[in-house]
Amino acid sequence: MTQPYGDDVPSWPVPPAGPETDARPLSTQAPAQPAARVTEAPRGTEATSLLTPDEALVPAQARTSAPAPAKPGRDRYLDLLRSVALLRVVVYHLFGWAWLSVVFPSMGVMFALAGSLMARSLNRPALGVIRGRVRRLLPPLWAFSAVALSLLFIGGWNPGKDPDYGGLWGWLGIIDYVVPIGSPPFPFEVANPPGFLESSWAEQGVGPLWYLRTYLWFVLASPLLLWAFRKMPWATLLAPLALTAVVGTGLVEIPGRTGEAVTDFAVYGGCWVLGLAHHEGVLAKVPRYLAVSGATLVMAFGLWWASGHLTEEGWDLNEIPPAQATWSLGFVVILLQYAPSWRELPGRLARWDRPITLANNRAVTIYLWHNLLIMATFPLVDLVYSLPFMTDGLVSALDSTYMFWTFVLVWPLIALAIVGTGWVEDLAAKRPPRLWPDGARSRPKGRRKRH
């Protein structure tokens, strides 16, 4: 999950507002006023054709004085990408459509955005940055783990007697619910006394914690990765692909949870390094035609490899590490090469400003809880079958639209999770807790949004 964590997202300097222009995108600025005749401006001032009549009355000395620098603003393009990635993750886990991993490789995008943010933060001392990232990550995880472990223990799970872990290692694995240095243990089937979850709920609900584990290792490795990238950019970028070729193809097999962790680190390492490159400005120095052409070839290789290594899931790249690594890498290169720097969402996208802001401020909460909440939607929809007015026709209609109603229902449940536990993200970031941080109250009064 920029990595997507709260208000602290990648932002880029926006030209300060001054007499010649404002800080809004050009598409939202007011129509230019007729230029007034003025005497020749001193060297170093803006051309007189950019001045309005009122501005022409301002003395040249006042016009040429340097305005106060503006604070960096959020890059709304990156906010938009993160929101789309989160939406795709929810839809994928609900419907299981394999082709979504090709249309939009969400995890690669999210790791790239997180890498860019991490590079920006490493302008400060590395130890303090890492400590801050870990502090922001752990409290939301603890809130989720408290609920998950409670359900597991109520269901009768005993880590010491788990057939896959067992003994001392089973109990030590509980540490991963507190600090995600590895994959937390869980039973593939467990009783559910409350009765509202299937017996396989733990695999679905706890399984996505791999993302937090991988994110944590990237955070810890970022100072070294950034140093290596500045010294050897190409070698650092291609090293994760080389590692994927070793551990993701079966050439070298690392058993158990350690193998899973190494494979995930390798598959998405290239995207994380691309985020570093984006912040360092290296991507911008590569000619666009060259970057896009190279990215297209890398993506083509990924699809070619996938075509010869399809699993039971078909074209699900999540199950084919080399294909996932190369397709995600090329996809992210193209997204970042064409990245605008939006202070505000332009045009019709502006109507989505509030949900995009909310998704970015509660990205950790959404990612942590969405799969468990998806599991909870099924018994809720099943309750409709027992209603007294359900005829055979209505039952048939519900059968044919069952997944649609689970998709509709999961969003109110996610909203409840945001209100109920999302404020933990604020406490972790040392901010005042907020129930619904969609940015509505932070906008200046009297300002109307342009659509």
Side-chain angles (χ1 to χ4, degrees):
M1 3 198 215
T2 53
Q3 174 75 358
Y5 298 109
D7 287 332
D8 192 7
V9 296
S11 58
W12 311 102
V14 178
E20 287 82 18
T21 182
D22 62 19
R24 292 174 294 164
L26 293 177
S27 60
T28 63
Q29 292 183 17
Q33 300 295 325
R37 289 191 304 166
V38 295
T39 58
E40 182 179 356
R43 294 193 180 190
T45 63
E46 295 286 53
T48 57
S49 59
L50 297 179
L51 301 179
T52 64
D54 290 338
E55 289 165 340
L57 300 177
V58 178
Q61 293 83 355
R63 295 198 304 269
T64 58
S65 60
K71 294 181 179 180
R74 297 173 65 106
D75 190 325
R76 300 299 279 166
Y77 174 73
L78 301 186
D79 284 355
L80 175 64
L81 289 183
R82 185 177 292 106
S83 301
V84 173
L86 284 170
L87 174 63
R88 205 283 281 164
V89 167
V90 175
V91 173
Y92 170 80
H93 284 154
L94 178 60
F95 294 99
W97 293 330
W99 52 267
L100 284 174
S101 65
V102 178
V103 172
F104 196 88
S106 287
M107 307 317 296
V109 172
M110 291 167 69
F111 279 121
L113 298 180
S116 179
L117 170 59
M118 191 66 188
R120 174 174 174 259
S121 298
L122 284 174
N123 293 327
R124 306 191 301 272
L127 184 60
V129 172
I130 292 175
R131 185 168 56 247
R133 287 290 178 274
V134 174
R135 187 194 69 239
R136 295 167 70 93
L137 176 67
L138 294 186
L141 172 64
W142 295 339
F144 175 83
S145 296
V147 174
L149 286 173
S150 297
L151 290 174
L152 287 172
F153 290 140
I154 291 173
W157 179 54
N158 185 340
K161 298 180 180 180
D162 191 286
D164 296 309
Y165 307 100
L168 178 62
W169 288 110
W171 286 105
L172 288 177
I174 300 297
I175 296 175
D176 291 323
Y177 283 92
V178 181
V179 181
I181 56 177
S183 298
F186 56 86
F188 289 99
E189 289 191 352
V190 63
N192 177 234
F196 61 88
L197 294 174
E198 297 180 1
S199 61
S200 62
W201 70 266
E203 181 180 5
Q204 302 298 324
V206 179
L209 294 184
W210 72 266
Y211 175 73
L212 275 71
R213 175 204 66 208
T214 308
Y215 171 79
L216 177 61
W217 282 110
F218 278 136
V219 166
L220 297 176
S222 283
L224 178 60
L225 288 175
L226 184 58
W227 174 85
F229 179 78
R230 289 169 175 172
K231 296 291 184 180
M232 303 170 292
W234 283 107
T236 307
L237 178 62
L238 297 178
L241 293 181
L243 182 59
T244 303
V246 174
V247 301
T249 61
L251 185 63
V252 174
E253 293 188 6
I254 303 176
R257 291 183 291 168
T258 302
E260 295 175 0
V262 173
T263 300
D264 292 335
F265 189 91
V267 167
Y268 298 105
C271 293
W272 188 277
V273 175
L274 272 179
L276 304 180
H278 177 60
H279 178 267
E280 293 288 290
V282 175
L283 275 182
K285 297 178 182 179
V286 180
R288 179 171 291 176
Y289 75 91
L290 187 61
V292 174
S293 299
T296 302
L297 291 176
V298 171
M299 294 169 70
F301 172 83
L303 292 183
W304 171 79
W305 183 270
S307 67
H309 299 81
L310 298 179
T311 66
E312 295 179 355
E313 305 298 330
W315 282 88
D316 192 337
L317 301 187
N318 295 303
E319 306 298 327
I320 313 172
Q324 178 73 288
T326 50
W327 179 262
S328 298
L329 185 72
F331 197 94
V332 169
V333 167
I334 294 175
L335 284 180
L336 296 182
Q337 270 288 334
Y338 285 91
S341 184
W342 291 337
R343 183 69 177 270
E344 295 180 353
L345 294 171
R348 295 183 178 180
L349 287 175
R351 68 185 65 179
W352 300 99
D353 181 82
R354 291 175 61 179
I356 288 174
T357 299
L358 178 66
N360 279 269
N361 286 333
R362 291 293 180 259
V364 180
T365 299
I366 294 171
Y367 185 85
L368 278 172
W369 291 92
H370 79 276
N371 231 27
L372 189 59
L373 296 176
I374 287 174
M375 298 293 292
T377 61
F378 299 120
L380 291 176
V381 175
D382 289 344
L383 292 175
V384 179
Y385 285 104
S386 60
L387 294 176
F389 58 81
M390 291 295 290
T391 63
D392 290 343
L394 290 177
V395 169
S396 178
L398 182 57
D399 287 340
S400 61
T401 59
Y402 189 93
M403 294 306 297
F404 168 77
W405 292 114
T406 58
F407 175 76
V408 171
L409 186 59
V410 74
W411 298 108
L413 296 181
I414 290 176
L416 289 176
I418 289 174
V419 173
T421 67
W423 50 269
V424 177
E425 290 194 53
D426 292 325
L427 296 182
K430 296 183 177 180
R431 292 190 301 258
R434 299 166 294 173
L435 293 181
W436 196 256
D438 62 354
R441 295 183 179 180
S442 62
R443 295 191 185 95
K445 294 182 178 180
R447 181 177 180 180
R448 297 183 61 186
K449 295 187 67 62
R450 299 174 65 98
H451 293 278

